[in-house]
C-alpha cells in the first residue's frame, strides 16, 4: 500500500476535524497552548499534535480537555467523543498496523507521524537512513539486529521500510535532508556488493529536488552530533511544533518540549554546516562506492 495515501486517509481527516474543534474551544476559553498543557499536565507539543490531528485522542484526554475548556454541553461532548472514537478506529487501520506483529509501538507511532510530516532532517552516525535503504541493505540490517527470527518476519519488515520510501515521491513528496557520518559509507552492511549498490542508490536519490544528502567526514573531528542518531520531523500545519526521535543505548525516545527540540535543531544546523556540500558529498559517495566494488 502506498505510504502517500495514508497522508490524506480518513483517520487524518477525522483527527483534524476533531483537532479544529478542540482548538476553537481552547481559544474560546481564552487559553494558550501552554496554559492548556499546564491544565492537562502534558506538553505544548501534545496539545499541538492533537489540534493538528496527528495523534490519537484518548477519551480520558478528551474529557480532561473539555473540562479545562469549560465545555459542558452534553450534546457537544457526546458528538466529540463519538468523533474521537471513530477517528481512533480509522487510525488503527493505517497500512502499517497490518504489520503489528513485527513492529514495536514506537516504530508504528513514527510511521504514523512520518506520513503526515512535511520535512525530515536527520543525522545518522552508522546506518543509511531507512527512507534511502535498498532492499538488500534493509535485509542485512534486519538480520543483524536479531529482533526478528523467521524469514517471514524479516521480509515483512523489508516490505514496511520499502512502503515508507514512497513518501519521497509523488505529488507532495517529503522534503528530506540527511547528514551522514563518513562511517555510514564505510560500514560493511551486507558485504561490499550490497554496500556498493547502496551508495549508488544514495547517488541516484540525491538527484531528487526534495532530497539533500551531506557527508560529515572524519577529518572534521569531534562534533556535537557524534553521540547518537536523531530525526527531526516538521509538519506543514501553521504553528505546528517539530518532534524529535532520538536513539540512546536503551532504545528510542520522543522529545517534544520546545527546549529539547530546539537543541536538536541546533545540533542539525551545526552538523550540516560542518559537513561537505551536497556536490562534494556526492563525490565522496561515488569514490566509496567504487572502493566497495574493487
Amino acid at each position: 500500500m502506498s505510504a502517500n495515501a495514508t497522508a490524506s486517509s480518513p483517520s487524518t481527516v477525522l483527527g483534524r476535524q476533531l483537532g479544529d474543534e478542540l482548538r476553537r474551544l481552547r481559544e474560546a476559553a481564552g487559553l494558550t497552548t501552554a496554559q492548556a498543557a499546564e491544565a492537562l499536565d502534558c506538553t505544548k507539543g501534545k496539545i499541538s499534535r492533537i489540534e493538528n490531528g496527528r495523534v490519537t485522542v484518548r477519551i480520558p484526554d478528551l474529557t480532561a480537555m473539555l473540562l479545562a475548556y469549560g465545555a459542558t454541553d452534553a450534546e457537544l461532548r457526546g458528538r466529540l467523543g463519538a468523533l474521537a472514537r471513530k477517528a481512533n478506529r480509522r487510525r488503527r487501520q493505517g497500512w502499517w498496523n497490518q504489520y503489528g506483529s513485527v513492529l514495536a509501538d514506537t516504530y508504528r507511532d513514527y510511521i504514523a507521524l512520518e506520513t503526515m510530516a512535511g520535512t525530515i532532517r536527520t543525522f545518522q552516525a552508522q546506518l543509511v537512513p531507512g527512507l534511502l535503504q535498498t532492499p538488500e541493505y534493509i535485509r542485512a540490517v534486519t538480520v543483524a539486529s536479531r529482533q526478528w527470527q523467521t524469514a517471514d518476519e524479516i521480509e515483512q519488515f523489508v516490505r514496511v521500510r520499502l512502503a515508507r520510501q514512497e513518501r519521497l515521491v509523488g505529488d507532495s513528496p517529503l522534503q528530506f535532508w540527511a547528514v551522514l557520518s563518513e562511517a555510514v559509507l564505510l560500514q560493511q552492511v551486507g558485504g561490499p556488493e550490497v554496500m556498493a549498490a547502496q551508495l549508488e542508490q544514495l547517488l541516484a536519490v540525491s538527484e531528487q529536488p526534495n532530497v539533500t544528502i551531506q557527508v560529515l567526514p572524519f577529518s572534521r573531528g569531534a562534533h556535537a552530533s557524534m553521540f547518537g542518531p536523531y530525526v527531526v520531523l516538521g509538519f506543514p500545519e501553521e504553528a505546528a511544533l517539530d518532534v524529535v526521535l532520538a536513539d540512546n543505548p536503551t532504545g528510542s525516545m520522543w522529545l517534544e518540549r520546545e527546549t529539547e527540540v530546539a537543541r536538536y535543531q541546533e545540533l542539525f544546523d551545526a552538523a550540516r554546516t560542518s559537513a561537505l556540500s551536497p556536490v562534494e558529498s556526492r563525490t565522496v559517495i561515488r569514490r566509496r562506492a567504487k572502493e566497495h566494488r574493487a
Side-chain angles (χ1 to χ4, degrees):
M1 182 177 292
S2 169
N4 274 337
T6 64
S8 57
S9 66
S11 64
T12 303
V13 173
L14 293 171
R16 286 178 177 169
Q17 181 182 347
L18 176 61
D20 285 343
E21 296 217 36
L22 290 172
R23 181 187 294 107
R24 286 194 290 270
L25 289 172
R26 174 180 59 76
E27 292 173 347
L31 297 177
T32 65
T33 53
Q35 291 169 328
E38 183 176 358
L40 271 68
D41 192 26
C42 67
T43 66
K44 286 177 59 179
K46 180 174 181 177
I47 299 296
S48 175
R49 292 200 301 280
I50 287 174
E51 293 184 350
N52 287 309
R54 300 202 308 267
V55 295
T56 297
V57 182
R58 298 186 306 115
I59 296 302
D61 287 339
L62 176 63
T63 300
M65 294 177 83
L66 295 176
L67 179 63
Y69 301 162
T72 58
D73 182 77
E75 182 179 351
L76 172 66
R77 293 168 69 94
R79 181 171 59 81
L80 294 185
L83 182 60
R85 283 187 285 271
K86 187 175 182 180
N88 294 345
R89 284 196 300 272
R90 291 290 183 87
R91 196 179 295 275
R92 288 194 294 271
Q93 295 171 2
W95 66 264
W96 52 90
N97 285 309
Q98 66 183 294
Y99 298 101
S101 62
V102 296
L103 300 181
D105 289 343
T106 300
Y107 192 32
R108 278 187 283 173
D109 289 344
Y110 177 81
I111 296 174
L113 287 178
E114 185 179 73
T115 64
M116 290 177 272
T119 63
I120 284 183
R121 291 163 288 170
T122 182
F123 172 80
Q124 294 295 323
Q126 202 155 11
L127 290 174
V128 170
L131 289 180
L132 307 180
Q133 293 176 0
T134 65
E136 294 76 14
Y137 188 99
I138 298 169
R139 197 168 288 110
V141 170
T142 306
V143 171
S145 72
R146 299 187 179 181
Q147 295 183 56
W148 299 273
Q149 303 300 319
T150 69
D152 181 64
E153 289 174 339
I154 291 169
E155 291 309 308
Q156 285 190 61
F157 189 82
V158 172
R159 289 197 293 271
V160 168
R161 187 149 289 180
L162 292 176
R164 286 176 51 209
Q165 294 179 4
E166 294 184 28
R167 282 295 285 118
L168 295 179
V169 297
D171 295 333
S172 299
L174 183 71
Q175 298 297 311
F176 187 80
W177 193 334
V179 176
L180 312 179
S181 166
E182 190 173 2
V184 173
L185 312 183
L186 299 175
Q187 186 72 34
Q188 287 279 355
V189 176
E193 288 297 319
V194 170
M195 280 305 302
Q198 176 62 78
L199 298 189
E200 288 160 4
Q201 166 74 359
L202 290 184
L203 291 172
V205 75
S206 68
E207 299 292 340
Q208 295 177 207
N210 59 306
V211 176
T212 301
I213 299 175
Q214 293 180 263
V215 174
L216 187 53
F218 293 138
S219 60
R220 295 292 194 263
H223 56 90
S225 288
M226 66 189 298
F227 300 102
Y230 54 86
V231 181
V232 182
L233 298 98
F235 301 90
E237 297 90 350
E238 185 177 354
L241 300 177
D242 288 357
V243 178
V244 172
L245 183 66
D247 288 345
N248 60 50
T250 59
S252 300
M253 61 180 177
W254 290 107
L255 302 173
E256 58 184 6
R257 296 186 184 278
E258 286 185 277
T259 54
E260 295 172 331
V261 173
R263 172 58 178 158
Y264 278 90
Q265 291 169 332
E266 292 171 358
L267 285 177
F268 184 80
D269 285 341
R272 68 177 178 82
T273 300
S274 298
L276 301 174
S277 72
V279 173
E280 293 171 323
S281 296
R282 281 194 289 271
T283 299
V284 172
I285 294 170
R286 188 174 295 108
R287 183 176 72 247
R288 294 301 188 186
K290 290 179 178 177
E291 290 172 357
H292 286 298
R293 291 288 188 196

